[in-house]
Amino acid sequence: MVSPDRQLIAGVDEAGRGPLAGAVVAAAVILPAHYELPGLNDSKKLSEARRERLFELIQAQAVSFAIVAVAATEIDRINILQASLQAMKEAVTALATQPDFVYVDGNRCPRWDYRSEALVQGDSRLDCIAAASILAKVSRDRAMVDMELQYPGYGFARHKGYPTSAHMSALQSLGPCPEHRRSFAPVARSLAAQSQEAQ
């Protein structure tokens, strides 16, 4: 991967589009011209321990960074795509130092006035996006571990809200918790089943 040869370049990425519960989280990062982030890569390609280490290093070395979460209730209101774009837009806007150019992971940019470009698999192509992917992923994973304490029994600390067999089984037996995304089909089916049982 390379860092683009421009001044004040931000990378932005999100984590949590696929889970059935919890927020979608986006992060934006501006890296300095020189940095030491050994093993920096797409967060999905790194071990949890490596992500945790880089999470601290990125925050210590970044020119600026911001992390934003859009809650499950808002995801249900505007849909997951729009919530993801909203989170990315808010993350870039929240940067203490505003960028000259923004690279967005994916195939579209939010509606904004920034000069920007969307890059498919950008988290494997540009360091600034990889750094953003790590901040978003670690922040969301930590929130899901906390959610396990608030809503025990679903296994959020293990599967992070993704539709694993264990999660689907818990959803069937316990029903949705307040952090489940009602607009997602498995959760909607669970709610419908509960409603039928109550009749």
Side-chain angles (χ1 to χ4, degrees), residues 49-96:
R50 174 70 72 174
R51 287 196 300 266
E52 289 283 347
R53 176 62 178 149
L54 284 166
F55 183 84
E56 305 301 334
L57 291 174
I58 291 163
Q59 292 183 83
Q61 297 180 42
V63 172
S64 186
F65 71 89
I67 304 167
V68 169
V70 172
T73 51
E74 185 69 0
I75 293 170
D76 287 337
R77 190 180 74 84
I78 63 176
N79 78 47
I80 185 59
L81 172 59
Q82 294 305 317
S84 299
L85 292 170
Q86 177 179 313
M88 290 192 286
K89 182 177 182 177
E90 290 182 7
V92 176
T93 303
L95 289 168

Side-chain angles (χ1 to χ4, degrees), residues 128-158:
C128 56
I129 298 180
S133 77
I134 290 166
L135 294 194
K137 170 72 171 163
V138 172
S139 296
R140 188 180 189 282
D141 283 357
R142 289 179 176 181
M144 297 306 293
V145 170
D146 291 341
M147 193 183 296
E148 172 72 10
L149 300 176
Q150 188 175 5
Y151 301 105
Y154 293 96
F156 290 134
R158 296 189 303 278

Side-chain angles (χ1 to χ4, degrees), residues 102-178:
V102 182
Y103 282 104
V104 178
D105 183 63
N107 60 7
R108 71 176 69 190
C109 295
R111 291 185 178 179
W112 55 20
D113 294 328
Y114 295 101
R115 294 174 57 232
S116 58
E117 181 180 350
L119 291 177
V120 175
Q121 296 184 337
D123 43 11
S124 295
R125 298 167 64 184
L126 292 180
D127 283 0
C128 56
I129 298 180
S133 77
I134 290 166
L135 294 194
K137 170 72 171 163
V138 172
S139 296
R140 188 180 189 282
D141 283 357
R142 289 179 176 181
M144 297 306 293
V145 170
D146 291 341
M147 193 183 296
E148 172 72 10
L149 300 176
Q150 188 175 5
Y151 301 105
Y154 293 96
F156 290 134
R158 296 189 303 278
H159 54 63
K160 308 302 189 291
Y162 284 89
T164 63
S165 58
H167 188 187
M168 297 300 290
S169 177
L171 186 60
Q172 183 177 8
S173 60
L174 299 175
C177 79

